[in-house]
Amino acid sequence: VTATDPSLRRSSPTLTLEVDEAGVAVVHMHDVAGKNAFSRAFVAELVQAFTELAHPSVKVAVLRGLDDVFSAGGDREVLM
């Protein structure tokens, strides 16, 4: 597997993972409706993405949020 291998790319309605040729991984959180709030499902998806990045060809990982907000924090379900 190389950094540009399709197995190191994924996309869902709330998260995109891409790795470039230099081994730079970008995990982009884009849950616009939930403002990237950390629900149980969203956290599970993040954990899965970073687990996939535990690969020798990945040199660094960048976690991105939305243009106007990184994350709203924990959602009500998680906090209560």
Side-chain angles (χ1 to χ4, degrees):
V1 178
T2 63
T4 57
D5 189 298
S7 67
L8 290 177
R9 293 179 182 269
R10 68 195 314 259
S11 184
S12 76
T14 57
L15 195 78
T16 302
L17 164 64
E18 294 183 340
V19 181
D20 71 13
E21 301 82 25
V24 177
V26 177
V27 178
H28 184 198
M29 303 181 298
H30 50 82
D31 177 12
V32 176
K35 294 189 177 178
N36 294 333
F38 294 124
S39 66
R40 285 179 173 74
F42 193 58
V43 169
E45 193 171 8
L46 281 169
V47 168
Q48 178 61 36
F50 279 98
T51 299
E52 292 171 18
L53 294 178
H55 188 276
S57 64
V58 176
K59 307 300 182 210
V60 66
V62 177
L63 181 60
R64 278 188 62 194
L66 300 167
D67 289 338
D68 59 341
V69 65
F70 178 74
S71 173
D75 76 353
R76 295 175 98 184
E77 170 192 324
V78 172
L79 295 174
M80 298 190 122

